[in-house]
Amino acid sequence: MNAVSTSAETDVVPQALSAAGHARGHLKALESEAIHILREVAGEFERPVILFSGGKDSILVLHLARKAFHPAPIPFSLLHVDTGHNFPEVIAYRDAVVAAGDLRLKVAHVQDWIDDGRLSERPDGTRNPLQTVPLVDTIAAERFDAVIGGARRDEERSRAKERIFSLRDGFGGWDPRRQRPELWDLYNGRHAPGEHVRVFPISNWTELDVWNYIEAEQIVLPDIYYAHDREVFNRSGMWLSPGEWGGPVGSEVLQRRQVRYRTVGDMSCTGAVDSDASDVAAVITEIIATRITERGATRADDKLSEAAMEDRKKEGYF
């Protein structure tokens, strides 16, 4: 006698399979869009470059570029603006990826601009805002006409305004009034001499999409993205790493906690979050439950004012 399925079983299994299939289809659609954008860049521009810091979003863009042009090598070089205050684990990962993949990496060191007087240290010690001048200077010196990055619309409100092909003036500045329509997946890369275009292939991805794709593709990330014990101190509700930029000071107390990083950047302004998520699946579960964007939760430089990011973008920041 054949077993009879209960109504609960017949309801749940097809729904679960349907949800899984929808998730896979969603990621494939995002992947296809990103690959299309990267191929458009290769076809429209003469000297494109990928911003590669060793952070998860730049790792994802590099992974997509490999897929876009396989079995040929990636037709882009890589660029990193190194503040000198980056997490050592991330820099080590960056260098290992470049060496293993025989990639071309140009590093613009913020310290060089400080040493020759083109930049001065900020009173608060953070160097994240100091990246703009080295970035724009290097783009001009290397004659890059398209600069590809891993910025996403869900990260921050000013990034939600930006197009996938974002025209920048000769000083790297962003003017929202010059944004071009992008209908039917058509992207306009025209620019005047001295101008360039910033390109965001994963603009339409969310943080959850990124991590679901990392799981599906088994992409290796720096360990800093997973729970680990670290010395941190609390400043304005954020767990920051101690360092030469200042901290802990006053009543701030250094303590050892189990934390992970949702985003990585300048150590002076990138906060960790309390977490026991030690693998990709646990991180995904954690992200599903959160109601704060990764930059909103962990980037002190975005909290300087309501329009902090937009002001920096107008000056040439990515």
Side-chain angles (χ1 to χ4, degrees):
M1 183 175 179
N2 293 331
V4 178
S5 298
T6 65
S7 60
E9 289 173 335
T10 55
D11 287 345
V12 171
V13 174
Q15 289 177 6
L17 292 174
S18 175
H22 173 76
R24 287 194 296 271
H26 173 65
L27 291 178
K28 281 298 180 184
L30 290 173
E31 179 189 72
S32 295
E33 178 188 55
I35 287 174
H36 168 65
I37 291 165
L38 290 165
R39 289 172 176 169
E40 283 292 303
V41 172
E44 290 192 42
F45 297 93
E46 294 181 2
R47 292 180 63 83
V49 67
I50 295 177
L51 284 184
F52 184 73
S53 64
K56 72 179 188 311
D57 296 314
S58 66
I59 293 168
L60 175 57
V61 171
L62 182 61
H63 179 86
L64 290 163
R66 286 194 174 105
K67 279 200 159 190
F69 302 104
H70 181 79
I74 298 172
F76 312 134
S77 57
L78 308 181
L79 169 64
H80 182 212
V81 180
D82 188 345
T83 66
H85 292 169
N86 296 99
F87 292 93
E89 303 97 318
V90 179
I91 295 300
Y93 177 96
R94 179 201 71 183
D95 293 342
V97 167
V98 170
D102 195 23
L103 302 168
R104 296 162 292 161
L105 172 67
K106 170 74 175 180
V107 180
H109 296 278
V110 169
Q111 187 65 52
D112 292 342
W113 272 255
I114 293 173
D115 290 344
D116 64 18
R118 286 176 287 176
L119 288 174
S120 300
E121 292 277 18
R122 291 167 52 94
D124 60 7
T126 183
R127 288 185 177 179
N128 221 46
L130 300 185
Q131 294 179 89
T132 300
V133 173
L135 173 62
V136 174
D137 286 354
T138 304
I139 290 171
E142 298 291 330
R143 296 181 293 110
F144 294 131
D145 53 358
V147 183
I148 306 163
R152 309 188 321 271
R153 288 190 173 120
D154 77 321
E155 292 181 279
E156 200 273 338
R157 69 189 71 181
S158 70
R159 285 184 167 172
K161 297 179 182 180
E162 199 153 21
R163 298 289 193 264
I164 290 173
F165 273 34
S166 176
L167 181 66
R168 300 297 182 106
D169 62 27
F171 301 99
W174 173 68
D175 184 349
R177 295 169 298 182
R178 296 186 70 195
Q179 296 290 292
R180 296 160 172 170
E182 293 178 338
L183 305 176
W184 306 296
D185 296 329
L186 298 175
Y187 303 105
N188 184 351
R190 287 181 298 175
H191 57 284
E195 296 180 336
H196 68 276
V197 176
R198 307 277 174 94
V199 181
F200 307 104
I202 62 170
S203 184
N204 291 326
W205 297 52
T206 66
E207 183 185 13
L208 184 58
D209 292 330
V210 169
W211 279 98
N212 279 329
Y213 190 79
I214 287 167
E215 182 180 50
E217 296 285 302
Q218 299 183 355
I219 299 172
V220 177
L221 300 181
D223 290 341
I224 198 169
Y225 281 106
Y226 305 104
H228 59 287
D229 287 335
R230 196 179 199 93
E231 285 192 327
V232 292
F233 64 93
N234 192 286
R235 177 175 293 171
S236 302
M238 298 180 64
W239 294 113
L240 298 177
S241 294
E244 61 191 39
W245 43 84
V249 296
S251 61
E252 297 169 346
V253 178
L254 196 62
Q255 53 186 290
R256 198 161 192 87
R257 301 181 70 90
Q258 187 178 51
V259 298
R260 76 173 191 87
Y261 287 86
R262 291 176 66 185
T263 179
V264 296
D266 192 281
M267 293 177 71
S268 64
C269 62
T270 304
V273 295
D274 288 309
S275 175
D276 59 1
S278 58
D279 57 29
V280 178
V283 169
I284 290 172
T285 300
E286 192 175 271
I287 292 170
I288 290 172
T290 189
R291 292 296 178 266
I292 305 175
T293 67
E294 59 200 287
R295 290 192 72 95
T298 66
R299 296 301 286 268
D301 53 330
D302 289 348
K303 300 177 184 293
L304 296 176
S305 73
E306 284 294 314
M309 172 67 82
E310 185 157 339
D311 290 341
R312 279 182 288 154
K313 283 161 65 70
K314 289 178 179 178
E315 295 171 358
Y317 188 75
F318 210 80

